[in-house]
Amino acid sequence: MESFERYRPIIDDFEAFLAACERPLGNAVRVNTIKASVERTTTALEEDGVAYDQADWNPRVLRLETNSPGSTWTSFHGFTHGQEEVSAVPPVVLDPQPGDRVWDCCAAPGGKATQLAALMDDRGTVVANDSNLGRISALRFNAERLGATSLAVTNDDARNYSLQRFLFDEFDRALVDAPCSCEGTIRKNPDALDNWSPDHINSVAGIQKGILRRALQATREGGTVVYSTCTFAPEENEAVVQHALETEDCRVVDFDLGLEYAPGLAEWDGETFDSSIEQAARIYPHHNDTGGFFVAKLEVTA
């Protein structure tokens, strides 16, 4: 946890933050409304003897009192999908509509991509891309298991992504759930910090900037791009959004979220960020007893 000391000045109740990071994370699932309603799913869980709590901020997110959420009847039949609670936030912020063309730039293993399809009532197109060929099979498996027929799977580097393969030349919305240093997953992955270093953070930040820029370029004017990571590092969060503001035609916009969170930072380590970035959300583990996440919503302006 020593690497987290750098965040002491920016996190409220830092001791509570550290204590939360040391507690194991509970199990959560997302109701897959492509196959079943929330009511049908909760009834099935009750009949299966699986206790649950419904998240206040999202009725489709359930906290299960079981150590094997993937072994339940509802999971076997595709009614539920194991997904960390805070991981369900970015697709909700993106708010895709039926008929939209949506690009999930870094989609494997498919939790958020299939959530996007469900939010669209499986109508429209969700292009689920990932650069890691080894993870594509998991992406395809989850799309099939959950019945997401609106998904198109591609395997490319999102930084140089071409739309020539499609009959359209721009997306309505894009999700950049970027590869990151994964500090916010410490509760479920105790070894998340084993390879932590400033050099790694700076290296992955360069990749993140390239992906976010391409997502903005590929999205129509007036369209929405959501940028998210599961890390606390400002170099990977606010600094990446700042780079996008400086290099692409876009602006940060506000959004409503029924979870407790801290605003985006105004400055870090001598670097000042655009004041609009304070509309982003920093979700810390001690806020809602979840993992950690950063989410920013951008609108393409030209």
Side-chain angles (χ1 to χ4, degrees):
M1 295 284 185
E2 285 185 17
S3 57
F4 284 170
E5 281 296 322
R6 69 199 297 257
Y7 304 132
R8 185 180 288 272
I10 65 173
I11 297 179
D12 66 299
D13 200 348
F14 189 73
E15 298 306 321
F17 163 78
L18 289 180
C21 288
E22 292 175 348
R23 291 195 303 270
L25 190 64
N27 290 307
V29 298
R30 171 178 55 81
V31 176
N32 174 34
T33 52
I34 294 174
K35 286 202 168 183
S37 66
V38 173
E39 183 179 7
R40 185 181 180 192
T41 300
T42 54
T43 298
L45 285 169
E46 292 165 2
E47 292 175 349
D48 202 25
V50 179
Y52 65 88
D53 285 319
Q54 207 162 10
D56 292 335
W57 71 278
N58 188 341
R60 300 186 185 194
V61 174
L62 308 175
R63 306 181 190 103
L64 300 191
E65 294 182 21
T66 175
N67 292 324
S68 303
S71 300
T72 62
W73 187 95
T74 58
S75 177
F76 180 79
H77 290 278
F79 287 17
T80 57
H81 177 70
Q83 188 169 339
E84 187 179 346
E85 180 175 348
V86 75
S87 179
V89 169
V92 171
V93 174
L94 187 62
D95 192 27
Q97 301 301 307
D100 275 354
R101 294 166 177 160
V102 180
W103 183 26
D104 187 348
C105 305
C106 314
K112 295 180 185 67
T114 52
Q115 182 182 358
L116 292 169
L119 290 170
M120 296 161 59
D121 297 332
D122 205 27
R123 291 188 284 124
T125 302
V126 177
V127 176
N129 177 73
D130 204 274
S131 63
N132 188 333
L133 182 60
R135 288 160 56 90
I136 290 293
S137 59
L139 174 55
R140 286 176 171 159
F141 172 80
N142 282 321
E144 292 173 4
R145 184 179 71 86
L146 300 174
T149 61
S150 59
L151 248 68
V153 176
T154 61
N155 171 221
D156 269 313
D157 186 334
R159 292 172 292 181
N160 307 305
Y161 199 79
S162 172
L163 277 69
Q164 290 184 348
R165 74 198 82 193
F166 304 118
L167 297 176
F168 54 87
D169 57 7
E170 56 187 3
F171 293 100
D172 298 301
R173 303 171 198 258
L175 173 62
V176 181
D177 186 54
C180 67
S181 57
C182 300
E183 295 169 334
T185 68
I186 187 71
R187 296 184 65 184
K188 68 174 182 178
N189 299 317
D191 58 351
L193 301 180
D194 286 358
N195 297 316
W196 187 96
S197 72
D199 285 345
H200 176 61
I201 286 178
N202 291 329
S203 174
V204 75
I207 297 172
Q208 294 160 343
K209 290 173 182 176
I211 297 173
L212 179 54
R213 286 193 64 187
R214 183 65 191 120
L216 290 162
Q217 293 164 2
T219 301
R220 65 171 173 80
E221 182 178 354
T224 302
V225 176
V226 164
Y227 177 75
S228 62
T229 72
C230 55
T231 199
F232 308 121
E235 296 91 339
E236 301 179 57
N237 294 327
E238 287 87 352
V240 173
V241 177
Q242 179 69 33
H243 180 74
L245 293 176
E246 293 173 352
T247 56
E248 301 296 332
D249 294 317
C250 64
R251 66 186 185 102
V252 179
V253 295
D254 198 11
F255 57 87
D256 293 324
L257 185 61
L259 285 168
E260 182 180 350
Y261 62 87
L265 301 179
E267 61 89 24
W268 169 257
D269 197 26
E271 181 179 2
T272 301
F273 305 122
D274 190 276
S275 61
S276 66
I277 296 178
E278 294 183 50
Q279 297 177 102
R282 287 183 149 265
I283 304 172
Y284 295 121
H286 63 298
H287 283 162
N288 309 280
D289 195 22
T290 64
F293 240 77
F294 173 87
V295 185
K297 186 174 186 177
L298 300 96
E299 179 185 323
V300 178
T301 56

